[in-house]
Amino acid sequence: MLEKIDLSRSMDREEYKKTAPELRERLGALQRRARAARVPVIIIFEGWEASGKGTLMNELILPLDPRGFRVHYVHSSRDDNQNACWPPMRRFWDMTPPRGLIGIFSHSWYRLALDGISSPEERRTAYGDIESFERALALDGAVIIKFFLHISRKEQKRRLEKMDSDSSSKWRVSEREWSENKNYDKTAVKIDEMIQYTDRDYAPWTLIEATDRRHAAVKILASVTRRIEKRLDELSHSTQAPEAYAGSAVSEGPGGITFAPSVLKNLDLSRSIPREEYEKRLPKLQEAFRELQYELYKVRRPMVIVFEGQDASGKGGCIKRLTQKLDPRGYQVSPTSAPNDWERAHHYLWRFWNSFPKAGHIGIYDRSWYGRVLVERVEGFAGGDELRRAYGEINDMENEWSNYGTIIVKFWLQADGEEQLRRFNERRQNPDKMWKITDEDWRNREKRDLYEEAADEMMLRTSTTYAPWTIVEANDKLHARIKVLEVSAETVRQALGIR
Amino acid sequence: MLEKIDLSRSMDREEYKKTAPELRERLGALQRRARAARVPVIIIFEGWEASGKGTLMNELILPLDPRGFRVHYVHSSRDDNQNACWPPMRRFWDMTPPRGLIGIFSHSWYRLALDGISSPEERRTAYGDIESFERALALDGAVIIKFFLHISRKEQKRRLEKMDSDSSSKWRVSEREWSENKNYDKTAVKIDEMIQYTDRDYAPWTLIEATDRRHAAVKILASVTRRIEKRLDELSHSTQAPEAYAGSAVSEGPGGITFAPSVLKNLDLSRSIPREEYEKRLPKLQEAFRELQYELYKVRRPMVIVFEGQDASGKGGCIKRLTQKLDPRGYQVSPTSAPNDWERAHHYLWRFWNSFPKAGHIGIYDRSWYGRVLVERVEGFAGGDELRRAYGEINDMENEWSNYGTIIVKFWLQADGEEQLRRFNERRQNPDKMWKITDEDWRNREKRDLYEEAADEMMLRTSTTYAPWTIVEANDKLHARIKVLEVSAETVRQALGIR
């Protein structure tokens, strides 16, 4: 593909002076409109060494209000210890711009594929991860603009030699730059592959002939202007705009999908354990799990444990017993409540990438990203396409975590309506527990059936081989706690091959 | 000091069973009250290796709602590349708990002083930084509880030997632990020094005799309970509670201090530069500054440039010219507006520590932490003691940055009232600039004199040798832009010894 590009394209000073200022003015105005419309914009600069990324980024930035954009310089992931502690996409999630702002990337997540020593398998995994990432952001309303700055091998050599001969720029030319020039043809094949794999309608690549600075600058300004304009137009012609991109991936209505009879309706909720047995088994299980925590730490594999379930189903009690003997330095409980305004300004998965446990640590979630398909569905905050999309996005995320070596356990705690009522009343009457019960809990209780329906569909769609759901019969708290500890420990043992 | 501690203290099972549960219940209730009162709590566990930090932290955590606390395990700063890129306290600012939550630290900022190879000078600098940090947080309302877990050399040896002989805990004993035991007496001297230097009324140390687990656990529970209770009591007896701690460091009223006649009133605002000269000098200055940016990058020194000034004083235009030719990968413009709810849940300086530029990078602030003593003062959001305290806190922060090698330049742009009015009217009439002017600007204009008074006091109190203010006569925009570039470049040259 790259060899087909006409690199001789150029623009004379006259034409540049006619074209550029007008584009800049339009871009300045568009930035303000995008901000008002809360549209996030992501602009990536990839390209050969010495293709002029810095200069061309400056041309783009010139008309922008500095309060509305942020430049990220992405180092090679291999340069940085920190990155080794988390799944590769985590740091990029962290960099996504909030709604209405512009994120400009000098190099980007494509580093994962373009880094010199990546194997074909690593590249394919990276392309898969990148695809889910860009798709999730695009469907959430982001405009994604990707530039590849192209120069010929000869031109690159000429530029490197020139930099090398000037004492003020000499230090910027290292072995790495020269080695790219030496392996130009091999790298070109990888770039072709990258563009083929990741050129999508929602995140297309634009090749920039970067021999001539003026031509390149104008092409970049024009592309950015056109793409933002297009999105703003779409928004003004549609009431439910980001959805427009969702296409018809799934055609059924939310919650209107019929499937196998509810698994939650057919549970044996009478399962229980006598207290005497519980008190004998609990400490042993806790100690065993503590030992397994150290095993995880030694092999540096992270673990994610999710707790979902209706109010008063006993999530808090299970978490308490699960963590009671753990080393507090190696786990973290993350309660999930309604997002704050900064979180709301990002994709709904953003905050969970942020709280992902470090390698060797355990992240315990008291409610989680599944709120998207539970409370947000029942309350109508997320609907239609958003909801249908969420299942796939969540599976993709958990798949990435799993590929990184993460052990994932997900519990749905199920107590029936009678038992819930009994616990609500108990909380109301016990002064030490009163704080646990609010009006909202009573309101949620009226929607029990809707929550169950949502939970059923959630488990159907997100029980995967790498991250299966475990339903915990929770009418008897003692049974629930023991089961949670047993399943957690057993999953770790299986994953680490411990017997 | 340590040698005076009676390490034989213990508690029998009976008494523990009587005392601990009651303390736990009280602590659980206190956590809820502290949350409601939005009081942040910081609990530090320092102590000898094998003194039982993990177990004792667990005893403390047991009664707590996991949704309301977070455990931080602080690694040695020397273990981590990332930390080398920022002033040492930055990562600790990032870990401060938001209002109403509890941050529990296994090791802490005292690592900076206790790390084996620190020199006496490093330790003294660390104590100074720690003092400003803890004082700022305490005055902002945080309860700070610091435990040192103490065991004898013999007891430590016994524990290490026991761990070493058990296959499941053997891996936890490394050279480091044994070396501490070997150098026990020398380390004890450093610990004594640390406690002497950093034992403050607002952040006192509690020594825990940690030979006996039950004694230690109960003492920790009792201390935490008492300290939180005390703060909540103070709050309920005072209308302006965090202030109670401020003491009488400064006795004058806000803004009521009389000092030398306003420096802003005596400026020669007629200073100007002909456009022809401007257009000749600007590109040269920009190129020179770009070269200096590379110099900063090479020696890995960060630079902070602050812009303050009334509306329409030309901050945006100056920033644009300052950055126009810079490498966009090496600077970041941070606009400061009203804090969002997450930022508001922390100390007002928290967000600025977060955006501090990496070593070798330039952080440019369009308004800044000085908002505390400008807009917040004029609008009455911060008053009385808060305001008086702010000058010192800001000086401390800038001093820490400067000690780390940061080059700090601060500009106050001063245009007079007539010129401001002219610009406001121009903005109102020009469709491309209309968005720049809001009703708020007009309201602020009515408070021009109050802002000037605040700016005067600010410059008097925060012009330091390491971070002086530069007043820029800004009636003529061209003069202002040239002066900003000249002063910025000159400051870098002086700091790096370039001629």
Side-chain angles (χ1 to χ4, degrees):
Chain A
M1 187 179 308
L2 289 180
E3 76 281 2
K4 303 244 165 59
I5 308 293
D6 174 9
L7 287 175
S8 68
R9 288 183 164 206
S10 69
M11 182 177 274
D12 62 29
R13 191 181 302 266
E14 281 303 286
E15 201 185 333
Y16 176 76
K17 283 214 165 164
K18 229 169 48 197
T19 333
E22 193 244 317
L23 282 169
R24 286 200 194 107
E25 207 165 294
R26 263 167 68 197
L27 186 55
L30 280 170
Q31 182 190 15
R32 294 192 290 277
R33 281 180 57 204
R35 183 158 200 164
R38 291 176 63 77
V39 171
V41 179
I42 292 170
I43 306 173
I44 293 177
F45 285 83
E46 290 285 352
W48 296 99
E49 296 294 342
S51 58
K53 282 192 283 293
T55 316
L56 290 169
M57 283 168 74
N58 250 349
E59 291 261 5
L60 174 68
I61 287 167
L62 198 60
L64 296 179
D65 180 343
R67 282 166 281 214
F69 72 84
R70 181 160 177 182
V71 174
H72 298 272
Y73 179 65
V74 175
H75 291 269
S76 166
S77 56
R78 301 180 202 274
D79 293 350
D80 194 339
N81 271 340
Q82 278 297 98
N83 299 320
C85 297
W86 282 287
M89 295 305 289
R90 179 182 183 270
R91 60 176 176 144
F92 303 118
W93 273 97
D94 194 29
M95 295 174 185
T96 56
R99 302 186 199 291
L101 301 194
I102 303 177
I104 300 173
F105 295 83
S106 173
H107 291 294
S108 63
W109 30 98
Y110 287 96
R111 282 265 197 199
L112 296 178
L114 288 184
D115 264 358
I117 40 172
S118 62
S119 70
E121 291 71 34
E122 280 181 296
R123 290 207 294 278
R124 261 193 303 277
T125 308
Y127 294 137
D129 292 351
I130 287 171
E131 198 189 329
S132 330
F133 174 68
E134 291 184 346
R135 195 179 47 220
L137 294 173
L139 290 174
D140 194 45
V143 179
I144 303 176
I145 303 168
K146 305 189 290 198
F147 293 117
F148 188 86
L149 310 190
H150 187 30
I151 50 175
S152 70
R153 182 175 189 168
K154 223 170 104 188
E155 174 70 11
Q156 188 183 41
K157 191 158 174 241
R158 199 185 61 74
R159 292 186 184 188
L160 292 176
E161 274 163 359
K162 194 175 158 220
M163 282 163 77
D164 209 24
S165 67
D166 179 343
S167 68
S168 80
S169 55
K170 196 176 163 57
W171 65 280
R172 293 168 62 198
V173 186
S174 70
E175 195 35 57
R176 176 201 193 120
E177 279 74 21
W178 282 118
S179 133
E180 193 184 86
N181 192 254
K182 217 182 305 168
N183 300 304
Y184 186 97
D185 291 341
K186 257 164 75 183
T187 308
V189 172
K190 274 168 77 176
I191 292 168
D192 266 351
E193 178 200 79
M194 168 187 87
I195 291 175
Q196 276 168 38
Y197 271 110
T198 60
D199 193 33
R200 302 271 173 226
D201 57 340
Y202 51 78
W205 279 101
T206 303
L207 275 161
I208 302 292
E209 306 83 357
T211 320
D212 180 68
R213 185 187 58 81
R214 286 189 292 263
H215 166 78
V218 166
K219 187 164 177 184
I220 287 170
L221 280 169
S223 296
V224 171
T225 312
R226 197 177 54 242
R227 290 288 308 284
I228 301 179
E229 239 159 27
K230 185 159 161 268
R231 167 55 56 87
L232 291 171
D233 279 356
E234 285 167 6
L235 277 179
S236 66
H237 292 121
S238 143
T239 47
Q240 230 205 334
E243 303 298 316
Y245 265 66
S248 58
V250 184
S251 55
E252 303 87 335
I257 301 158
T258 48
F259 50 91
S262 165
V263 63
L264 291 177
K265 292 260 180 290
N266 299 316
L267 289 177
D268 177 8
L269 292 180
S270 70
R271 290 196 185 184
S272 69
I273 288 181
R275 180 160 285 275
E276 205 180 339
E277 189 189 331
Y278 169 79
E279 286 185 347
K280 235 174 31 209
R281 286 173 68 188
L282 184 72
K284 283 188 201 148
L285 284 166
Q286 287 177 327
E287 266 147 46
F289 194 53
R290 181 188 169 106
E291 287 308 314
L292 290 168
Q293 181 190 21
Y294 287 129
E295 295 301 326
L296 284 171
Y297 189 79
K298 279 193 255 178
V299 298
R300 292 179 53 79
R301 286 184 63 177
M303 180 172 191
V304 165
I305 309 179
V306 171
F307 286 86
E308 292 284 356
Q310 303 222 24
D311 297 322
S313 58
K315 296 184 293 297
C318 281
I319 292 174
K320 201 155 223 169
R321 272 61 179 200
L322 180 69
T323 57
Q324 199 154 25
K325 294 211 175 153
L326 291 184
D327 188 325
R329 293 162 289 197
Y331 75 87
Q332 195 189 315
V333 178
S334 301
T336 302
S337 48
N340 64 38
D341 60 359
W342 184 239
E343 290 164 345
R344 221 184 301 267
H346 291 86
H347 191 278
Y348 72 94
L349 291 176
W350 177 80
R351 56 176 169 153
F352 301 109
W353 276 97
N354 254 331
S355 67
F356 187 84
K358 226 172 147 164
H361 290 237
I362 303 176
I364 298 167
Y365 292 85
D366 184 352
R367 303 194 196 272
S368 69
W369 42 98
Y370 285 100
R372 184 71 163 187
V373 296
L374 294 169
V375 57
E376 290 195 37
R377 162 181 168 153
V378 171
E379 299 295 336
F381 301 146
D385 292 330
E386 280 172 338
L387 204 56
R388 283 191 293 266
R389 224 190 293 144
Y391 301 111
E393 287 172 348
I394 288 173
N395 286 342
D396 282 350
M397 178 174 79
E398 292 177 352
N399 189 25
E400 277 178 64
W401 292 356
S402 161
N403 287 339
Y404 174 73
T406 312
I407 299 167
I408 305 172
V409 186
K410 305 185 292 198
F411 294 111
W412 174 266
L413 270 59
Q414 178 72 5
D416 60 26
E418 249 171 275
E419 177 63 21
Q420 188 186 40
L421 184 61
R422 208 188 55 67
R423 292 183 188 174
F424 275 18
N425 284 328
E426 190 196 327
R427 288 181 176 185
R428 202 158 48 165
Q429 278 144 29
N430 182 338
D432 280 343
K433 291 190 173 175
M434 223 152 27
W435 59 277
K436 280 186 166 182
I437 182 117
T438 65
D439 289 351
E440 208 185 317
D441 294 329
W442 290 100
R443 277 196 301 276
N444 288 341
R445 186 174 149 76
E446 283 167 27
K447 297 178 186 158
R448 264 193 74 86
D449 290 348
L450 290 174
Y451 272 100
E452 251 176 46
E453 205 180 290
D456 256 329
E457 185 167 348
M458 168 189 83
M459 284 187 275
L460 181 81
R461 293 185 176 277
T462 60
S463 248
T464 53
T465 47
Y466 46 85
W469 278 98
T470 300
I471 300 176
V472 178
E473 306 81 359
N475 266 14
D476 180 56
K477 288 180 176 181
L478 309 189
H479 165 78
R481 293 169 190 168
I482 293 290
K483 183 164 177 180
V484 160
L485 264 158
E486 279 182 342
V487 171
S488 301
E490 190 50 32
T491 312
V492 175
R493 273 192 215 101
Q494 279 194 12
L496 302 189
I498 298 173
R499 256 293 51 108
Chain B
M1 188 180 305
L2 289 179
E3 76 282 0
K4 303 243 165 61
I5 308 292
D6 174 9
L7 286 173
S8 69
R9 287 182 165 209
S10 68
M11 181 178 274
D12 63 29
R13 190 181 303 269
E14 280 305 283
E15 202 186 333
Y16 176 77
K17 282 215 166 163
K18 227 168 52 197
T19 333
E22 194 245 316
L23 281 169
R24 285 200 194 107
E25 207 163 295
R26 264 167 67 196
L27 185 55
L30 280 170
Q31 181 190 15
R32 294 192 290 278
R33 280 179 59 204
R35 182 159 201 164
R38 291 177 61 77
V39 171
V41 179
I42 292 170
I43 306 172
I44 292 177
F45 285 83
E46 290 286 352
W48 296 98
E49 297 293 342
S51 59
K53 281 191 284 292
T55 316
L56 290 169
M57 283 168 72
N58 250 349
E59 291 260 5
L60 174 67
I61 286 169
L62 198 59
L64 296 179
D65 180 343
R67 283 167 282 215
F69 71 84
R70 179 158 178 185
V71 174
H72 297 272
Y73 180 64
V74 176
H75 291 268
S76 166
S77 57
R78 303 182 200 271
D79 294 350
D80 195 338
N81 271 341
Q82 277 300 96
N83 298 320
C85 297
W86 281 286
M89 295 305 289
R90 179 181 183 268
R91 60 178 177 143
F92 303 119
W93 272 98
D94 194 31
M95 294 175 185
T96 55
R99 302 186 197 290
L101 301 193
I102 302 176
I104 299 173
F105 294 83
S106 172
H107 290 295
S108 64
W109 30 98
Y110 287 96
R111 282 266 197 199
L112 296 179
L114 287 184
D115 264 358
I117 40 172
S118 60
S119 70
E121 291 71 34
E122 281 183 294
R123 289 207 294 281
R124 259 192 304 275
T125 308
Y127 294 138
D129 292 351
I130 287 172
E131 198 190 328
S132 330
F133 174 68
E134 291 183 348
R135 194 180 48 220
L137 294 173
L139 290 174
D140 193 46
V143 179
I144 303 176
I145 303 167
K146 305 189 290 198
F147 293 118
F148 187 87
L149 310 189
H150 187 31
I151 50 176
S152 70
R153 181 174 191 167
K154 222 169 105 189
E155 173 70 12
Q156 188 184 39
K157 190 157 176 243
R158 199 185 61 75
R159 291 187 185 188
L160 291 177
E161 274 164 359
K162 194 175 156 218
M163 281 163 77
D164 208 25
S165 68
D166 180 342
S167 68
S168 79
S169 57
K170 195 176 164 58
W171 65 279
R172 293 169 61 198
V173 186
S174 71
E175 195 37 55
R176 176 201 192 120
E177 280 74 21
W178 284 116
S179 134
E180 193 183 87
N181 192 255
K182 219 182 304 168
N183 301 304
Y184 186 97
D185 291 341
K186 256 165 74 186
T187 308
V189 173
K190 275 168 74 176
I191 292 168
D192 266 351
E193 177 200 80
M194 168 187 88
I195 291 174
Q196 277 168 39
Y197 271 110
T198 61
D199 193 34
R200 302 271 173 227
D201 57 341
Y202 50 79
W205 279 101
T206 303
L207 274 161
I208 303 291
E209 307 82 357
T211 321
D212 180 67
R213 185 187 58 79
R214 287 188 293 265
H215 166 78
V218 166
K219 187 164 176 183
I220 287 170
L221 280 168
S223 297
V224 172
T225 312
R226 197 179 53 244
R227 290 288 308 284
I228 301 179
E229 240 158 26
K230 185 159 161 269
R231 168 56 54 89
L232 291 171
D233 279 355
E234 285 167 7
L235 276 179
S236 66
H237 293 119
S238 142
T239 47
Q240 229 203 336
E243 304 299 317
Y245 266 66
S248 56
V250 185
S251 56
E252 303 85 337
I257 302 158
T258 47
F259 49 91
S262 167
V263 63
L264 291 178
K265 292 258 181 293
N266 299 317
L267 288 178
D268 177 7
L269 292 181
S270 69
R271 291 199 184 182
S272 69
I273 288 182
R275 180 161 286 275
E276 205 180 338
E277 188 188 331
Y278 170 77
E279 286 185 349
K280 234 171 36 206
R281 286 173 68 189
L282 184 72
K284 283 188 202 149
L285 285 166
Q286 287 177 326
E287 266 147 45
F289 195 53
R290 182 189 168 106
E291 287 309 314
L292 290 168
Q293 181 190 22
Y294 287 130
E295 295 302 326
L296 284 172
Y297 189 78
K298 280 193 254 177
V299 298
R300 291 178 55 78
R301 285 184 65 176
M303 180 171 192
V304 164
I305 308 178
V306 171
F307 286 86
E308 292 284 355
Q310 303 221 24
D311 298 321
S313 58
K315 296 185 293 295
C318 281
I319 291 175
K320 202 158 223 168
R321 271 60 177 201
L322 181 69
T323 57
Q324 200 154 22
K325 295 211 175 152
L326 291 183
D327 188 325
R329 293 162 289 196
Y331 75 87
Q332 194 189 315
V333 178
S334 301
T336 302
S337 48
N340 65 37
D341 59 0
W342 185 239
E343 290 163 345
R344 221 184 302 267
H346 292 86
H347 191 279
Y348 74 94
L349 290 175
W350 177 79
R351 56 175 169 153
F352 302 107
W353 276 96
N354 254 330
S355 66
F356 187 83
K358 227 173 146 164
H361 290 237
I362 303 176
I364 298 166
Y365 292 85
D366 184 352
R367 303 193 193 272
S368 69
W369 42 99
Y370 286 100
R372 185 69 163 189
V373 296
L374 294 170
V375 56
E376 291 195 37
R377 162 182 168 153
V378 172
E379 300 294 337
F381 300 145
D385 291 330
E386 280 172 338
L387 204 55
R388 282 190 292 268
R389 223 191 293 142
Y391 301 111
E393 287 172 348
I394 288 173
N395 286 341
D396 282 351
M397 179 175 79
E398 292 177 351
N399 189 25
E400 278 178 63
W401 292 357
S402 161
N403 286 340
Y404 175 73
T406 312
I407 299 166
I408 305 172
V409 185
K410 304 185 293 199
F411 294 111
W412 174 267
L413 270 59
Q414 178 73 5
D416 61 26
E418 251 171 89
E419 178 62 21
Q420 187 186 41
L421 184 61
R422 210 188 53 70
R423 292 183 189 175
F424 274 18
N425 284 328
E426 188 196 328
R427 287 180 177 185
R428 206 161 43 167
Q429 278 145 28
N430 181 339
D432 280 343
K433 291 191 172 173
M434 226 155 26
W435 61 276
K436 281 186 166 181
I437 182 116
T438 65
D439 288 352
E440 210 186 315
D441 294 328
W442 290 101
R443 275 195 301 276
N444 288 342
R445 185 172 150 76
E446 285 169 23
K447 298 178 186 158
R448 265 192 74 87
D449 290 347
L450 290 174
Y451 272 99
E452 251 176 45
E453 203 178 293
D456 256 330
E457 184 166 349
M458 169 189 84
M459 283 186 275
L460 181 80
R461 292 184 176 275
T462 61
S463 248
T464 53
T465 47
Y466 45 85
W469 278 98
T470 301
I471 300 175
V472 178
E473 305 81 358
N475 266 13
D476 179 56
K477 287 180 177 182
L478 309 188
H479 165 77
R481 293 169 192 168
I482 294 289
K483 182 163 179 179
V484 159
L485 264 158
E486 278 181 342
V487 171
S488 301
E490 189 49 33
T491 311
V492 175
R493 273 193 216 100
Q494 280 194 11
L496 303 189
I498 298 173
R499 254 292 55 104

